[in-house]
Amino acid sequence: MDSETGHASPTTPVVVIEASAPGKLVISGEYAVLAGAPALVAAVDRRVTCTLTPKDSGGWRFVSTGFDDDRTIPKDDVFSAPPTTIPGVVQRSIAAADAPEHIEVRIDSSDCYSDGVKLGVGSSAATVTALATAFGVMAGEAPRLTDLYELHAGFQGGGSGLDVAAAVTGGVIRFEDRVATPVRLPGGIYFAFVFTGSGSRTAALLETFDAWRQRGATAPLERLAAAAREVVDSTMQPDAFVDALGEYTDLLERFDQSTRIGIFGPGHRRARELSSRLGVVYKPCGAGGGDTGVAVSTDIDAIRAFKDGLDAAGLVALDMKISPQGVEFRTG
């Protein structure tokens, strides 16, 4: 109430900020990218959305759909949180003076799950990218890609940054030395995305890789890196691209046998057996073990036959496409 006029004071309009970022799949270059080779990475239309709604009371309410992390905490606790937490990402994305006292932070990553199991499409990078972008917009400046690399490394405990780059840029990128270059794949290539039905612990797979690498017998990794480079250099012509990807996948399988990482878990082996019968290239995406893989061919009928055979193999055909859109935001 205005004490001089006796009229109700106009309320400040609540500005809701929404940001979303896509997940990703590694088409080629997993593990090799950690040795300096280029990776080919596609953003996919499984997005994480972060919505910020300022409130009049109630502290900071974090609500999630997908991962289970609902909580309410005071603002002071947000701005003293460690970087490995969602509040820690917030406090590194906006100054306390620019942030409201009370707010609902809603994060929806349900697109990145299947029946409660993570698909392995880079949901943590998409979450950090969407969350940091939303709070950056609130503070008046969206974060730079280099900022997001550091935020996600602090949240995840490391990583190459390729999933962050895909979340920011969208489409297909060549990722090398933290530089993302857009790539246009040739026409006449068809994809099928596959979920093995089980998740995997990326950190455990990478620990096995690191232990193997420290023993010094890195020739299989060098061969894999050379094959990864051949894939990204073959994106002008469909047959050459599929052939190069097939050779890379064969070397990835031999690399897995040498290192005993477990990249080709049971689901991936079943998908690879099916693809071999149909003349289709199939490979795990990213760290492997479980999670998601991709089948690629220039023959659309072969891809359709591959999809038709997945259910009998105990695998799930994912309704998923390469997304041209990277991180986006709107206010209202």
Side-chain angles (χ1 to χ4, degrees):
M1 183 76 67
D2 188 307
S3 60
E4 293 185 1
T5 65
H7 296 116
S9 301
T11 58
T12 303
V14 174
V15 177
V16 176
I17 300 172
E18 180 182 281
S20 73
K24 67 86 183 70
L25 285 178
V26 179
I27 298 175
S28 66
E30 48 269 282
Y31 294 98
V33 72
L34 299 174
L40 196 65
V41 189
V44 294
D45 60 352
R46 298 297 181 109
R47 301 182 73 88
V48 175
T49 301
C50 174
T51 306
L52 308 183
T53 307
K55 300 289 186 178
D56 293 329
S57 62
W60 281 57
R61 174 71 172 150
F62 291 87
V63 183
S64 67
T65 307
F67 69 97
D68 184 15
D69 193 34
D70 291 8
R71 64 178 110 168
T72 300
I73 58 177
K75 179 180 176 180
D76 287 348
D77 288 356
V78 173
F79 286 89
S80 60
T84 53
T85 64
I86 291 293
V89 173
V90 172
Q91 70 109 341
R92 298 174 71 196
S93 302
I94 187 172
D98 294 327
E101 289 297 318
H102 312 282
I103 190 170
E104 180 183 271
V105 181
R106 184 173 292 273
I107 300 172
D108 184 355
S109 59
S110 55
D111 264 3
C112 301
Y113 288 76
S114 175
D115 294 329
V117 181
K118 286 179 70 173
L119 295 173
V121 293
S123 60
S124 69
T127 296
V128 168
T129 299
L131 184 66
T133 297
F135 276 101
V137 169
M138 177 174 281
E141 184 177 6
R144 300 169 299 175
L145 179 56
T146 52
D147 299 327
L148 292 168
Y149 285 148
E150 299 310 314
L151 277 172
H152 186 248
F155 181 70
Q156 187 86 338
S160 68
L162 61 79
D163 42 7
V164 175
V168 170
T169 62
V172 180
I173 58 171
R174 173 182 178 141
F175 181 84
E176 188 172 10
D177 295 329
R178 288 200 165 187
V179 175
T181 306
V183 171
R184 182 184 295 275
L185 294 180
I189 295 176
Y190 304 98
F191 295 92
F193 300 107
V194 179
F195 180 49
T196 63
S198 64
S200 61
R201 291 184 61 245
T202 299
L205 296 168
L206 291 177
E207 285 174 7
T208 303
F209 167 73
D210 288 338
W212 169 84
R213 196 176 182 186
Q214 288 170 11
R215 293 196 289 270
T218 58
L221 182 59
E222 293 166 7
R223 289 192 288 270
L224 189 67
R229 191 169 297 279
E230 184 65 27
V231 174
V232 298
D233 289 341
S234 301
T235 55
M236 297 298 292
Q237 206 276 337
D239 290 328
F241 174 73
V242 174
D243 288 346
L245 188 62
E247 292 174 11
Y248 171 81
T249 304
D250 290 341
L251 282 171
L252 182 64
E253 190 168 37
R254 289 179 217 158
F255 173 75
D256 191 29
Q257 292 165 354
S258 298
T259 59
R260 300 182 183 275
I261 293 172
I263 301 167
F264 286 80
H268 292 305
R269 290 198 297 272
R270 293 196 303 273
R272 190 147 161 79
E273 289 167 5
L274 175 62
S275 69
S276 296
R277 295 199 298 270
L278 297 170
V280 170
V281 173
Y282 174 84
K283 61 175 291 295
C285 294
D291 293 345
T292 299
V294 63
V296 186
S297 179
T298 57
D299 183 347
I300 192 170
D301 291 328
I303 286 291
R304 286 171 176 161
F306 176 81
K307 289 181 179 179
D308 290 342
L310 288 174
D311 187 59
L315 302 167
V316 178
L318 289 175
D319 182 14
M320 191 160 66
K321 298 180 180 64
I322 294 175
S323 172
Q325 287 84 29
V327 64
E328 299 178 316
F329 68 87
R330 64 182 180 86
T331 61

